[in-house]
Amino acid sequence: GNTGLEGIEDHAGNILYSIKGLLCKSSSHETFLLCSATIAHLSTLHPPSTYLAFSSCILPCFLAHPACSSSSIYIHDQLVTIIANMAKLPVASAQIVKCKAIHFLLDILDVRDPTEKSDELKAALERTVSKAAIALARLCLDCSMAACVIKLGGLDRLAGVTRLAMWNSQTVSVAVRAAVRTISSYG
């Protein structure tokens, strides 16, 4: 069956091209979620495709799309995954700054105790906030990025995340502490 990643490198470019075309033609939130989930999973399961995502300039398309401002934690989760994966590439830093992905990550950290107490939503929020902190830590291995995050109030926002009593696990606090250490060391 079709259970492995064999041959994905032969098709990753076409997949990215098709997803970018679909993304640019549709204003649907559902289509946006499917496109972002596809790129998030592709860049996670097949790391070489992350460079293809960077070189295709798909991240600015995602962050300029109307669905990006949605309140959906599921949309945010996919976007944060894409940014976190791209943050592994030092060459992607300029693109990440230019399309305001740092602002997006910092906005993810401005969480409040959810009025909806669904375990599924709380888990998605926890996962997304953790990934945002991890993405910031990766980006801040570069001194200029760390300085940018400090200038934008990133340390205060990270501190605010740790003050919330809503987290069910240590995942968020571990990710936030790692981000604070990295930012403090390089900033």
Side-chain angles (χ1 to χ4, degrees):
N2 194 8
T3 59
L5 292 175
E6 303 84 25
I8 192 77
E9 57 273 350
D10 297 337
H11 303 287
N14 288 333
I15 293 168
L16 274 159
Y17 177 79
S18 298
I19 293 293
K20 187 175 180 183
L22 185 58
L23 182 65
C24 293
K25 288 183 176 93
S26 174
S27 59
S28 160
H29 283 49
E30 292 82 5
T31 301
F32 182 88
L33 179 59
L34 290 172
C35 289
S36 60
T38 301
I39 301 304
H41 290 291
L42 183 64
S43 62
T44 299
L45 297 174
H46 185 257
S49 67
T50 304
Y51 185 81
L52 290 173
F54 156 71
S55 61
S56 75
C57 294
I58 199 165
L59 182 61
C61 295
F62 277 120
L63 293 174
H65 194 280
C68 181
S69 59
S70 163
S71 62
S72 168
I73 193 61
Y74 302 108
I75 285 176
H76 294 166
D77 185 31
Q78 301 307 319
L79 291 174
V80 169
T81 300
I82 294 167
I83 297 166
N85 289 340
M86 287 184 70
K88 295 175 186 176
L89 304 173
V91 70
S93 296
Q95 187 179 110
I96 288 170
V97 169
K98 188 174 182 183
C99 69
K100 300 191 181 292
I102 293 176
H103 293 79
F104 178 80
L105 292 172
L106 293 173
D107 288 346
I108 293 294
L109 299 178
D110 288 336
V111 294
R112 305 284 176 259
D113 283 317
T115 52
E116 171 67 47
K117 298 296 181 185
S118 149
D119 287 342
E120 182 183 327
L121 283 174
K122 285 174 74 174
L125 181 61
E126 195 166 307
R127 187 175 57 248
T128 304
V129 169
S130 296
K131 282 191 244 180
I134 290 165
L136 287 168
R138 286 178 181 160
L139 290 168
C140 290
L141 291 171
D142 175 277
C143 293
S144 64
M145 294 292 263
C148 177
V149 168
I150 290 170
K151 182 179 174 187
L152 293 171
L155 288 173
D156 291 336
R157 292 190 194 192
L158 287 161
V161 168
T162 61
R163 291 186 199 111
L164 296 173
M166 61 188 261
W167 310 120
N168 291 327
S169 73
Q170 293 296 310
T171 307
V172 171
S173 61
V174 169
V176 167
R177 282 195 306 267
V180 168
R181 274 194 306 274
T182 303
I183 294 166
S184 300
S185 296
Y186 288 88

